[in-house]
Amino acid sequence: MVKRAILTEYSLCAAVCQAMTCCKTMSQSIAAFWEFTRGLATVCAEVGTIGMIDCLSSPGGVRQILVHPGCRLLYYGQNYLIYPSAFPPESRTEAPTPDMYGLHYEGVELKTEDGVLLRCYLLTQRKEVVRRYALQILVNDEMSDDEFAATRPTILMFHGNGGNLGQRIPLARMFYNEMRCNVFMLSYRGYGDSEGRPSESGLCIDAQTALDYILAHANLRGTPIILYGQSLGGAVAIHLASRNPSKIHALILENTFTSFPQVIPHATPIPSPLTILCHQKWDSASKLPLIPRETPILMLSGERDEVVPPQHMTELWEIASRRQGIKVDSRDGNGGAPVGSGEPNGEPNSEVGNARSRFVKLPDGYHNNTFMQMDYWHAVKEFVASLCS
């Protein structure tokens, strides 16, 4: 059972330490899974590369490649590698619930347009402060809890490709207690207690279903909606914002990628030519320009990310800036702003996202622990506060 942290002036440290304890097993299991994946992918790649060049240069190249058993395994079985929903072990059978962390919540069941049942969590704000040192907000005594929730932003959370939504509750609690936001935690199809099997098209439907639920909710439909996505979740957030440009207030993106085929050669030993077999595209680089220039974006990049090279985040920041017609200094990836050491960096550009967009580099952040860096939550809190001002 996770110990409850008292939110003092060192509350961020306490909460992050708790998240580290909670996520340690998950990170170790994901690391073990990736070792297994790399081994399997190596075998497939070695088999698949036999005659691959000849196949690519011949008529019907892709179909010829699929003759090779290793390539067939990579093509038809890639969803099991990309969406390891059963890792860490018991992720499909045991999903922690917010009440285990002292949080009031509602279990929400959503039915997608293609008939898949999703089991999610909703945390709506209350006037009563749930932690002694939570963010203090002056509230009219006559205001109800529902009326108060309607005055606060709503965070729509998209997690990465491993584990389940329950393992991200410490992160949701940061938004709920420290920033007094409503939080909707989406459980993708095939993850946690949700039904179905994960795929790019399926997760996009899931995200839209969650957004539609918020937009129809009696207390949340008028609140500013902020998308929060980690890794794969960042790609889900970018897709959703690009399809709903007038409904999304802001985005917070952590360690995500330009497109999945572009990250494959770095995350696995699969040769670059074989990325032609990847049908899960997640092409964020082409979708990001569709997000309105007025939409603020906070990008958080772990500089030691060993899964998604930090250059992906830098490229996404440049794309986000170019949608404004702004010249970006790619030497530091911060729109020309100086890069500090250990402090949130990348001062807001006056023309990006109404002067609220930022690109923050976390020097000691790896793929699975960037959110554990202290400057991470300082940057997030400042960003959310700027949206409420």
Side-chain angles (χ1 to χ4, degrees), residues 34 38 231 263 266-268 304-309 312 367-368:
W34 276 111
R38 288 189 178 100
S231 190
V263 83
H266 302 280
T268 73
R304 298 192 180 188
D305 193 327
E306 72 284 14
V307 177
V308 179
H312 281 253
H367 190 71
N368 289 322

Side-chain angles (χ1 to χ4, degrees), residues 27-67:
S27 297
Q28 290 175 339
S29 297
I30 290 176
F33 169 79
W34 276 111
E35 287 302 315
F36 165 77
T37 300
R38 288 189 178 100
L40 175 61
T42 299
V43 173
C44 295
E46 288 176 351
V47 175
T49 49
I50 298 175
M52 180 187 65
I53 297 178
D54 291 338
C55 290
L56 283 174
S57 61
S58 65
V62 174
R63 285 176 292 178
Q64 291 295 322
I65 288 177
L66 292 179
V67 170

Side-chain angles (χ1 to χ4, degrees), residues 15 26 33 42 53 55 64 78 105 109 118-119 145 157 160 173 177 196 217 224 227 230 264 308 346 363 385 388:
M26 182 172 72
F33 169 79
T42 299
I53 297 178
C55 290
Q64 291 295 322
Q78 63 187 259
Y105 82 104
E109 292 189 348
L118 310 177
R119 295 184 172 91
D145 284 335
M157 291 183 62
R173 187 168 64 173
N177 283 338
H217 193 281
L227 307 184
Q230 297 176 292
I264 283 179
V308 179
C388 297

